[in-house]
Amino acid sequence: MNTPLLSAKDLTVQFRTPKGPITAVNGIDLTLERGEVLGIIGESGSGKSVTMRALLRILPEAKTEIAGDLKLDGKDVLSLKGHDLAAYRGGDVSMVFQEPATALDPVFTIGTQISETVRRHRKVSRKDAQARALEMLELVRIPSPASRLGNYPHEMSGGMRQRAMIALALAAGPKLLLADEPTTALDATVQIQVILLLRELQREMGMATIFVTHDVGVAAEISDRIAVMYAGRIVETGTAAEVLKNPKHPYTQGLLSSTVQGAVPGTPIKAIPGMPPDLAQMPPGCAFAPRCPLATSACQAAVPDLRAQGGERRVACVRLEEIA
Amino acid sequence: MTDQGLTPPQTVPALSATSLNKTFTVRENGLGKPARYVHAVSDFSFDLPVGSTLGIVGESGCGKSTTARLLMHLVKPDSGQIRLSGEPVSRAKRDLKQFRRKVQMVFQDSSASLNPRLTIEQSITFAPMVHGVSLRAARETAWRLLDRVGLDPARFTGRYPHELSGGQRQRVNIARALALNPRVVIFDEAVSALDKSVEAQVLNLLNELKAEFGLSYIFISHDLNVVRYISDHVLVMYLGQVVEQGPVDQVYATPRHPYTRALLASMPSPDPEQRTMAAPITGDPPSPIDLPPGCRFAPRCAFAESICDTMPYELRHGETRVRCHMADPKLGHSKAEVIQ
């Protein structure tokens, strides 16, 4: 009976472009238990946002090819169509985006947007849906929620809009919440409030969450497990403590040591040289090899598999035993 | 605000400002509503010693970018004075041209700040040629600088901005800023849009260039970690005012102002086993329109009391300056010991 809530096997996302197909997500495996928080960290172009959009099935179908196996609570997500797909989006799985100003509809009030979502996914009266909307705004701790129901998004501050967006995402009681850099556009003192709110709601409502961020500190605050993505592949995964306190993959090590957080002023930061590869021209074998200080010819021979390293940890590096 | 201390300043600061003020007027669309005022920057003073880096931190709407634009003379202050190497800067056209030659700026958006129709070489040679440098000399400088910022001139001079990555474009912007041989460079969120691994490369480059070209930096950012790494002095802004300024280690180790404390405590903990348990302050920073007359942080401050209805001055506290009534026990704030 112990099936995970979400399981993705060999998930691959290809975009058809005039210059030929580009593989943005390249055969990743993900599993997520009920009530668990997975943090995905990576730089721009690593495929973290595309993964999220593939999970919610909101990538434009005419231009995208999603392959692999994706199951949520036993449901085959990739074969969903029509009504089932509409019920899945926002019902089973919902998403909080980075920029609440553009993700909310500017011509409807917050109350209307939340109650419409509730009515779309549950058979309730207009009045009950309004009551649910009020309850949601209270839940995300928006001050004077009753009067805020009648506000348009532009009448709210950035932090409040993001709270409203979280209320909207949670209104239909999803089993899985996808959060794509939800705090990146917020100010520092507001960011920590939203992180704490998400952590609390996640615990109270027991939903699983995937939290995408480029900020290692934010990932540390919220994740149970962490997956590190590079050029469309997962290069290292494990518990938050395993990955962040004792990174094994050279890219994770580089990413953590290149943050200014622990750097001593006056001494150079240990930056990773070069930049991430162009997805249209991927290097052979390990995608990180051209920037890796430890790369040998073996790294170019084949794409390294994720291998178990004790505990929850799995790392995709052929030289792991030699360099450890 | 002149120093009344016993030791006169040893050297003239590269750039300094005294009591800068800037208020913008918001006009309501002609329906007879009264105009409202945005207090973008109020009573803003600082010294930038030669060869040092001054970091400016704060949240959105706190006046960081208006400060940068005031210092560049892109907007006119309502009052106050800016001095370059001790000399007051007049707004006469010729003086401004000379001023902008010595003070350069690098912006956040690396692509919007480059002309899409000019090649990299044209972008870098443009300003020196406006200032009367010959094409040949300007080109020579461009090649030398591109090489210095880590872009192979032979490959990059003929390219257009859209052919470059964000990190490469920001390197071009840095080279362009240096082409006039400035004394001060102002960076307005210049690394904020870059990926972390690229950000580290650019920060290293900035530190090298500072030593090599004898520059002084003003570094504006919302990222507290970046500011701590790169700055000698830091200045914390809240709703248009400096609430605390001082040497970076002191401000980060023992923040005095309640806002500085809240801001620093809001930084996510990098250790998953020591997570932040409670948010230091609640709510969003309010809008800088029509501010109350007293301390601007008081409505969110845990220590606010009646004396906070009056505007505090910047008070000296060792090497730091703090704009808070609690900084001076004689002012009568009952919790003054909190920040001693």
Side-chain angles (χ1 to χ4, degrees):
Chain A
M1 271 316 283
N2 206 2
T3 52
L5 174 71
L6 174 82
S7 86
K9 287 209 178 67
D10 203 17
L11 186 70
T12 300
V13 182
Q14 267 194 346
F15 293 118
R16 283 187 279 271
T17 72
K19 291 177 187 165
I22 287 179
T23 310
V25 175
N26 208 335
I28 64 168
D29 293 344
L30 286 175
T31 54
L32 197 63
E33 303 295 337
R34 284 172 179 76
E36 191 182 27
V37 184
L38 172 71
I40 301 184
I41 54 179
E43 298 180 90
S44 45
S46 62
K48 48 194 199 319
S49 290
V50 175
T51 305
M52 300 287 261
R53 283 168 164 72
L55 293 179
L56 192 58
R57 288 281 312 274
I58 53 168
L59 290 166
E61 285 195 18
K63 285 186 179 167
T64 357
E65 192 98 47
I66 308 180
D69 187 47
L70 183 58
K71 282 207 171 61
L72 183 95
D73 217 2
K75 212 180 263 183
D76 182 5
V77 176
L78 295 185
S79 67
L80 292 175
K81 276 198 207 89
H83 285 300
D84 294 339
L85 181 58
Y88 170 80
R89 296 174 177 152
D92 293 328
V93 178
S94 64
M95 187 143 160
V96 176
F97 295 88
Q98 174 171 353
E99 201 35 84
T102 50
L104 291 167
D105 193 325
V107 302
F108 292 102
T109 63
I110 295 298
T112 310
Q113 294 187 50
I114 299 180
S115 56
E116 185 200 338
T117 307
V118 174
R119 276 168 64 76
R120 182 70 190 70
H121 291 284
R122 287 182 189 178
K123 286 195 169 54
V124 292
S125 70
R126 206 172 287 267
K127 208 174 139 200
D128 288 348
Q130 277 288 342
R132 172 78 177 160
L134 179 61
E135 193 188 307
M136 293 311 298
L137 290 194
E138 281 166 1
L139 191 68
V140 297
R141 282 177 212 95
I142 287 183
S144 43
S147 67
R148 287 294 176 183
L149 278 177
N151 273 178
Y152 290 91
H154 76 269
E155 296 175 294
M156 302 177 128
S157 66
M160 213 180 307
R161 272 200 293 260
Q162 195 57 290
R163 285 169 193 267
M165 175 112 161
I166 293 168
L168 181 63
L170 300 183
K175 296 170 192 154
L176 172 63
L177 176 70
L178 305 172
D180 189 0
E181 305 256 12
T183 64
T184 306
L186 303 177
D187 280 320
T189 57
V190 182
Q191 163 167 293
I192 194 74
Q193 296 174 45
V194 172
I195 293 174
L196 293 176
L197 175 71
L198 276 172
R199 213 161 72 188
E200 214 177 296
L201 292 176
Q202 185 270 329
R203 210 177 300 146
E204 274 169 30
M205 304 176 71
M207 72 202 155
T209 303
I210 302 184
F211 197 104
V212 158
T213 178
H214 67 274
D215 187 323
V216 174
V218 172
E221 286 278 4
I222 199 155
S223 317
D224 301 320
R225 277 194 302 133
I226 282 182
V228 182
M229 285 191 77
Y230 186 77
R233 299 191 186 107
I234 292 176
V235 295
E236 178 162 3
T237 163
T239 65
E242 282 170 349
V243 175
L244 298 180
K245 294 185 121 176
N246 180 21
K248 294 238 164 122
H249 193 282
Y251 174 65
T252 319
Q253 289 173 347
L255 192 66
L256 292 175
S257 69
S258 71
T259 56
V260 285
Q261 222 143 328
V264 183
T267 60
I269 313 167
K270 292 189 202 93
I272 309 174
M275 51 184 147
D278 181 352
L279 292 174
Q281 294 164 12
M282 286 277 277
C286 173
F288 186 60
R291 301 172 77 187
C292 183
L294 307 163
T296 62
S297 55
C299 300
Q300 291 170 19
V303 177
D305 289 326
L306 273 171
R307 291 179 296 145
Q309 297 294 319
E312 301 249 339
R313 182 173 350 230
R314 292 185 301 147
V315 183
C317 176
V318 289
R319 299 204 59 211
L320 202 58
E321 286 73 17
E322 301 162 62
I323 61 181
Chain B
M1 306 215 160
T2 48
D3 263 356
Q4 303 287 328
L6 294 171
T7 45
Q10 300 294 309
T11 48
V12 182
L15 190 68
S16 63
T18 317
S19 305
L20 282 186
N21 281 292
K22 180 70 195 175
T23 305
F24 295 105
T25 312
V26 189
R27 286 188 209 290
E28 298 287 340
N29 43 17
L31 292 175
K33 276 197 198 166
R36 302 196 298 167
Y37 299 97
V38 179
H39 299 274
V41 172
S42 316
D43 191 16
F44 182 95
S45 306
F46 74 90
D47 286 339
L48 174 68
V50 175
S52 74
T53 300
L54 176 73
I56 302 182
V57 291
E59 300 180 273
S60 47
C62 74
K64 304 187 295 275
S65 292
T66 304
T67 303
R69 289 163 62 207
L70 283 171
L71 295 178
M72 283 303 293
H73 288 79
L74 294 173
V75 290
K76 189 171 179 266
D78 299 335
S79 62
Q81 201 169 48
I82 297 167
R83 289 169 182 263
L84 179 68
S85 304
E87 299 291 318
V89 182
S90 83
R91 292 194 63 87
K93 219 171 177 182
R94 191 193 296 169
D95 288 355
L96 275 188
K97 193 170 162 184
Q98 280 312 307
F99 175 84
R100 293 207 177 108
R101 175 170 197 157
K102 290 168 189 155
V103 182
Q104 280 286 307
M105 185 154 168
V106 177
F107 299 86
Q108 171 168 12
D109 190 332
S110 63
S111 81
S113 51
L114 287 170
N115 186 335
R117 294 167 161 227
L118 297 186
T119 63
I120 300 311
E121 183 182 74
Q122 287 167 334
S123 275
I124 300 176
T125 54
F126 190 89
M129 285 168 68
V130 168
H131 284 274
V133 175
S134 72
L135 175 62
R136 173 191 285 227
R139 264 197 184 146
E140 224 166 81
T141 312
W143 279 58
R144 185 170 49 80
L145 286 171
L146 274 176
D147 187 45
R148 183 60 198 87
V149 298
L151 299 174
D152 178 7
R155 278 173 59 207
F156 283 95
T157 40
R159 293 203 194 174
Y160 287 89
H162 73 268
E163 297 174 285
L164 273 56
S165 71
Q168 289 169 340
R169 273 198 300 265
Q170 208 55 307
R171 287 170 194 267
V172 171
N173 280 317
I174 293 167
R176 178 178 62 173
L178 297 182
L180 287 167
N181 213 358
R183 289 187 213 159
V184 177
V185 186
I186 301 173
F187 298 91
D188 188 2
E189 300 276 9
V191 299
S192 307
L194 305 177
D195 268 324
K196 291 288 159 189
S197 68
V198 180
E199 175 187 274
Q201 296 168 3
V202 173
L203 289 175
N204 283 342
L205 173 69
L206 292 184
N207 270 336
E208 291 163 24
L209 293 173
K210 188 172 104 172
E212 218 172 294
F213 291 80
L215 301 167
S216 310
Y217 287 163
I218 291 182
F219 196 92
I220 298 172
S221 176
H222 69 281
D223 189 326
L224 298 159
N225 285 315
V226 171
V227 167
R228 170 164 54 189
Y229 173 73
I230 201 151
S231 313
D232 303 304
H233 281 72
V234 64
L235 193 152
V236 183
M237 289 187 79
Y238 186 76
L239 290 182
Q241 286 182 328
V242 179
V243 294
E244 183 159 357
Q245 58 176 312
V248 76
D249 348 325
Q250 283 188 27
V251 173
Y252 275 71
T254 48
R256 305 276 177 193
H257 195 284
Y259 176 67
T260 315
R261 292 179 175 194
L263 192 64
L264 291 173
S266 296
M267 285 157 82
S269 148
D271 183 346
E273 281 156 6
Q274 291 186 350
R275 291 175 166 182
T276 310
M277 292 327 289
I281 41 173
T282 53
D284 289 20
S287 110
I289 296 178
D290 292 336
L291 290 164
C295 169
R296 291 180 183 176
F297 185 60
R300 297 174 82 195
C301 182
F303 306 107
E305 51 187 57
S306 60
I307 189 179
C308 303
D309 294 341
T310 59
M311 177 64 81
Y313 294 104
E314 278 192 87
L315 297 164
R316 220 156 239 298
H317 199 295
E319 277 182 82
T320 60
R321 277 191 277 171
V322 188
R323 189 186 290 274
C324 178
H325 289 113
M326 293 193 287
D328 185 352
K330 290 195 284 291
L331 290 176
H333 193 293
S334 69
K335 300 204 180 69
E337 77 279 2
V338 169
I339 68 170
Q340 296 307 311

